[in-house]
Amino acid sequence: MPAPSRHSRLSADGPVLDGIPEHGRVPRYYAVKVELLAVIAELGEGAVLPTERELCERFEVSRATVRQAVGELVLEGRLSRRQGSGTYIAGPKLVQPLATESRRRPGIRPGRRAITLERRVAGSALGADLQVPSDAEVFHLERVLLAGEERVGLESTYLLASRCPDLLDVFTPEQPLSEQLGVEPAGAEERVETVLATPREALLIGTNPALPMLLTHRISWGPDGVPFERVRSLYRGDRLSFTTRLGRAAAHR
């Protein structure tokens, strides 16, 4: 196997070792990317990344190589570009438990900002999901999801008006919707995929339309087994990760 780049950090759990292709040659940009991970760990959250010129001199590579490495770290949420200011070390991603409204990170308070609250007719697709006629009335609620002051997602919720007729009177954007409805879901089906945001969604979330987004579709039902809500949630892939627990926790060996 060819010798690894002198920029590589090979270890049993290192990213370069995991990323070595079958032919054994590590792309130069990837070796630089691993070195940049060490720089990120050393500088810490909120610090400014050295300039492209400084990184080129440090790693003895071209600007194109540095840009590719930095670009991937931006997509992964390790770095954050600020126009006219530079590239900064991003904080850890927020953790979003599946099928809940919370976003967890110590010291960060989740929030919501209402964009739309309207009454409308379900239509055929939504009616089928909620098991009601297409002319049934639903509430459409759209909210920007916040982590502190940072916009991290956009959530669109459709609720059967018959299950929550007083929603327009009691709705509070900051409070979890389940608390306002007085209905705890007995179960839910959720699907996760990656997408690109539409121009409108990117503007509301405050992100680059080219960055990958995490999209979840959820249908929840109550204790009677009847669906009462459909939720479409779009999250910034560079700022959020998902977690779920399956079965009993394994004992430590």
Side-chain angles (χ1 to χ4, degrees):
M1 183 170 115
S5 163
R6 67 186 182 85
H7 297 305
S8 303
R9 295 180 184 273
L10 295 178
S11 64
D13 57 354
V16 168
L17 186 60
D18 293 340
I20 292 177
E22 286 74 8
H23 53 59
R25 294 187 296 276
V26 179
R28 183 168 295 183
Y29 85 89
Y30 192 83
V32 172
K33 178 181 174 181
V34 173
E35 291 289 351
L36 284 175
L37 288 174
V39 172
I40 288 171
E42 180 182 344
L43 293 177
E45 179 181 348
V48 182
L49 191 72
T51 64
E52 280 188 0
R53 181 176 179 179
E54 292 171 329
L55 293 175
C56 290
E57 293 176 354
R58 179 170 181 170
F59 301 131
E60 300 179 7
V61 295
S62 68
R63 287 204 171 193
T65 299
V66 167
R67 285 174 182 169
Q68 185 172 0
V70 170
E72 286 201 2
L73 291 170
V74 169
L75 286 174
E76 293 173 6
R78 303 294 189 95
L79 297 173
S80 175
R81 287 195 178 107
R82 302 179 191 174
Q83 189 171 2
S85 178
T87 302
Y88 291 77
I89 313 302
K93 290 187 178 183
L94 297 140
V95 178
Q96 168 70 35
L98 283 171
T100 74
E101 292 186 274
S102 64
R103 290 167 296 288
R104 300 192 307 238
R105 182 180 160 197
I108 300 295
R109 182 176 180 177
R112 302 160 185 84
R113 182 183 305 145
I115 301 297
T116 304
L117 179 56
E118 61 183 358
R119 186 190 294 262
R120 58 192 300 178
V121 173
S124 57
L126 179 59
D129 287 339
L130 298 181
Q131 299 177 13
V132 295
S134 59
D135 61 353
E137 285 196 326
V138 297
F139 288 118
H140 174 223
L141 169 62
E142 190 175 36
R143 294 180 293 178
V144 172
L145 304 177
L146 306 171
E149 296 299 317
E150 183 181 18
R151 291 173 286 174
V152 296
L154 182 67
E155 185 175 79
S156 181
T157 303
Y158 292 92
L159 296 154
L160 284 177
S162 60
R163 299 291 290 268
C164 49
D166 301 326
L167 181 62
L168 293 177
D169 299 323
V170 302
F171 174 69
T172 303
E174 297 78 14
Q175 186 180 8
L177 197 54
S178 58
E179 295 179 9
Q180 301 179 63
L181 295 177
V183 178
E184 279 295 333
E189 181 178 285
E190 191 157 29
R191 174 167 55 90
V192 183
E193 60 183 304
T194 57
V195 298
L196 295 178
T198 66
R200 177 180 180 271
E201 291 168 338
L203 183 63
L204 288 173
I205 300 173
T207 188
N208 187 328
L211 291 178
M213 310 290 286
L214 297 170
L215 175 64
T216 69
H217 304 267
R218 184 175 77 246
I219 296 177
S220 304
W221 53 86
D224 57 3
V226 178
F228 67 90
E229 71 168 358
R230 189 182 76 182
V231 183
R232 180 185 186 275
S233 302
L234 190 66
Y235 301 99
R236 286 178 53 181
D238 63 331
R239 299 301 299 130
L240 280 157
S241 63
F242 287 99
T243 182
T244 187
R245 177 175 292 180
L246 304 174
R248 292 179 296 178
H252 293 289
R253 290 188 290 177

